Amino acid sequence: MNFNEEQTNRIEYIEAVIKKYLPKEEGFQKTLFEAMNYSILGGGKRIRPMLMLETYRLFGGNNQSYIEPFMAAIEMIHSYSLVHDDLPAMDNDEYRRGRKTTHIVYGEAMGILAGDGLLNYAFETACKAFAINTEGKDSAVLYDRIKKAARAMEVLGKKAGIYGMIGGQVIDMEGIKPQDSPVEKLNYMYKLKTSGLIEASMMIGAILAGANESEINIVEEMASNIGLAFQIQDDILDVTSTAEILGKPVHSDERNEKITYVTLLGIEEAKRQVEELTGKGLSGFDTLKRENEYLEELIKRLINRRK
Ligand code: GRG
């Protein structure tokens, strides 16, 4: 397998899927549509829809039109979270993915609305998975597909919401103090803030492909560990990388006086934890007794990424 070639093909496909659902930049809300499209189309690794699609394939899923609305939806939610995270009331960042952030280009009010727009539109888009072609299918098959799509909607809402990403962001905003059992609280916060959408991506792939309850639980655990490793790598890159490579300012954690894995445990221990969590995440493939060579390689590269 030529991983880089495979990855380029997948990114092209995912971008085409996202574009298919984006609003046309016309009408009286044109500026909002432009700000939404600017936010989602400015690069990005597209790892969440990629993890979703590959987990779907891991469980034998082969009907892309069924999963595509969810692939677009998860990237819309991810994009909204970045737009809002960059706002002056939150991290107040001017650059992301090597370009000006949405509120810098369109103003703060439009930044808030573009984020809100992407979040709502994500659920509107995901609902298109219910628009199933009923021709020639018996009612039991149709019921099963609708049931899976409904379960996937619930996971999307929960993992992006108050028990997931938004919950984690609140803990981050309130800050972790040295007297707070910081490692425990940091782990909890990262598992919600960063693992939340990774869990949603992989679980939705598994659900729509028809995985059973025990398999869905294994996938959730895998994604939780992978998400945590991904976030700790983010902490490491904030101190070891450069703004040119990352496309956003480095040392932002220090500037914002944030407690991170690196400030708490040091860089060597942070790297060791990344290794350990990655091993735990990847061991899920053995437990599941399923193979997807591309997905395994993707996870390894995500964790060892430079940006
Ligand atoms: C505003 C509700 C709300 C949540 C914000 C996503 C987030 C929560 C904050 C962004 C800051 C941050 C470090 C989040 C952790 C997850 C993370 C590393 C996001 C960046 O994801 P990538 O690397 O980004 O997939 P690209 O640009 O590749 O899409």
Side-chain angles (χ1 to χ4, degrees):
M1 179 190 56
N2 179 335
F3 182 84
N4 290 338
E5 208 177 292
E6 296 278 329
Q7 187 175 36
T8 308
N9 292 341
R10 280 166 176 81
I11 291 177
E12 266 174 32
Y13 162 63
I14 290 168
E15 303 224 321
V17 170
I18 294 168
K19 282 182 190 153
K20 191 164 79 182
Y21 292 105
L22 288 181
K24 284 203 177 56
E25 295 177 1
E26 60 191 19
F28 289 126
Q29 320 92 304
K30 186 168 183 275
T31 315
L32 172 70
F33 298 153
E34 283 172 4
M36 288 166 67
N37 295 352
Y38 175 86
S39 309
I40 197 169
L41 292 177
K45 298 180 283 300
R46 312 300 186 200
I47 60 170
R48 292 157 190 82
M50 210 178 285
L51 287 169
M52 187 184 285
L53 177 63
E54 294 305 323
T55 309
Y56 183 64
R57 289 178 171 157
L58 180 75
F59 287 96
N62 58 12
N63 178 355
Q64 290 186 188
S65 65
Y66 186 38
I67 195 165
E68 281 175 359
F70 281 98
M71 289 167 61
I74 197 89
E75 194 64 11
M76 287 173 197
I77 293 178
H78 167 60
S79 299
Y80 116 76
S81 79
L82 299 180
V83 173
H84 279 188
D85 189 64
D86 290 333
L87 286 169
M90 298 218 197
D91 276 2
N92 196 16
D93 280 318
E94 285 187 23
Y95 284 91
R96 174 165 305 269
R97 297 167 170 169
R99 330 186 289 168
K100 296 271 187 193
T101 46
T102 306
H103 71 274
I104 294 292
V105 177
Y106 291 92
E108 193 177 346
M110 201 55 77
I112 294 170
L113 290 166
D116 293 342
L118 282 165
L119 174 57
N120 262 281
Y121 194 54
F123 284 92
E124 188 178 337
T125 302
C127 280
K128 297 193 194 302
F130 290 93
I132 292 164
N133 178 2
T134 54
E135 216 173 293
K137 299 207 178 65
D138 72 45
S139 53
V141 172
L142 290 173
Y143 174 72
D144 183 59
R145 291 191 51 177
I146 289 168
K147 206 169 83 174
K148 284 184 205 143
R151 172 91 191 272
M153 289 292 290
E154 187 188 351
V155 167
L156 188 65
K158 180 171 177 189
K159 297 288 182 184
I162 57 174
Y163 301 109
M165 183 180 68
I166 295 176
Q169 179 75 351
V170 166
I171 301 172
D172 196 9
M173 285 291 116
E174 287 192 335
I176 295 178
K177 315 281 173 315
Q179 64 273 19
D180 274 349
S181 321
V183 178
E184 199 188 322
K185 198 163 174 187
L186 195 63
N187 260 322
Y188 186 82
M189 188 256 279
Y190 282 177
K191 287 213 172 202
L192 297 191
K193 184 177 104 161
T194 308
S195 297
L197 289 195
I198 309 255
E199 288 167 19
S201 304
M202 294 184 68
M203 288 171 77
I204 290 169
I207 290 166
L208 295 186
N212 64 34
E213 263 336 288
S214 124
E215 289 169 326
I216 295 166
N217 289 339
I218 295 167
V219 167
E220 184 174 18
E221 181 67 20
M222 282 172 80
S224 169
N225 286 317
I226 293 162
L228 189 51
F230 184 78
Q231 177 60 59
I232 301 173
Q233 183 67 10
D234 201 64
D235 291 351
I236 295 173
L237 291 175
D238 192 58
V239 288
T240 58
S241 191
T242 64
E244 288 71 38
I245 293 176
L246 288 186
K248 60 177 187 178
V250 285
H251 305 297
S252 66
D253 294 330
E254 190 185 330
R255 226 179 10 265
N256 294 325
E257 295 175 3
K258 276 194 181 163
I259 286 184
T260 71
Y261 256 75
V262 175
T263 60
L264 273 183
L265 304 171
I267 199 133
E268 287 314 313
E269 177 57 18
K271 284 184 181 165
R272 204 195 59 73
Q273 297 259 357
V274 169
E275 287 284 312
E276 191 179 309
L277 289 161
T278 308
K280 273 195 202 163
L282 290 171
S283 71
F285 288 106
D286 296 333
T287 319
L288 290 167
K289 296 189 180 54
R290 285 179 183 273
E291 278 182 27
N292 177 334
E293 193 191 352
Y294 178 84
L295 179 58
E296 282 192 42
E297 186 59 29
L298 172 68
I299 292 168
K300 287 181 194 154
R301 289 185 185 221
L302 273 182
I303 312 285
N304 294 309
R305 74 194 188 283
R306 291 178 64 233
K307 64 176 196 170

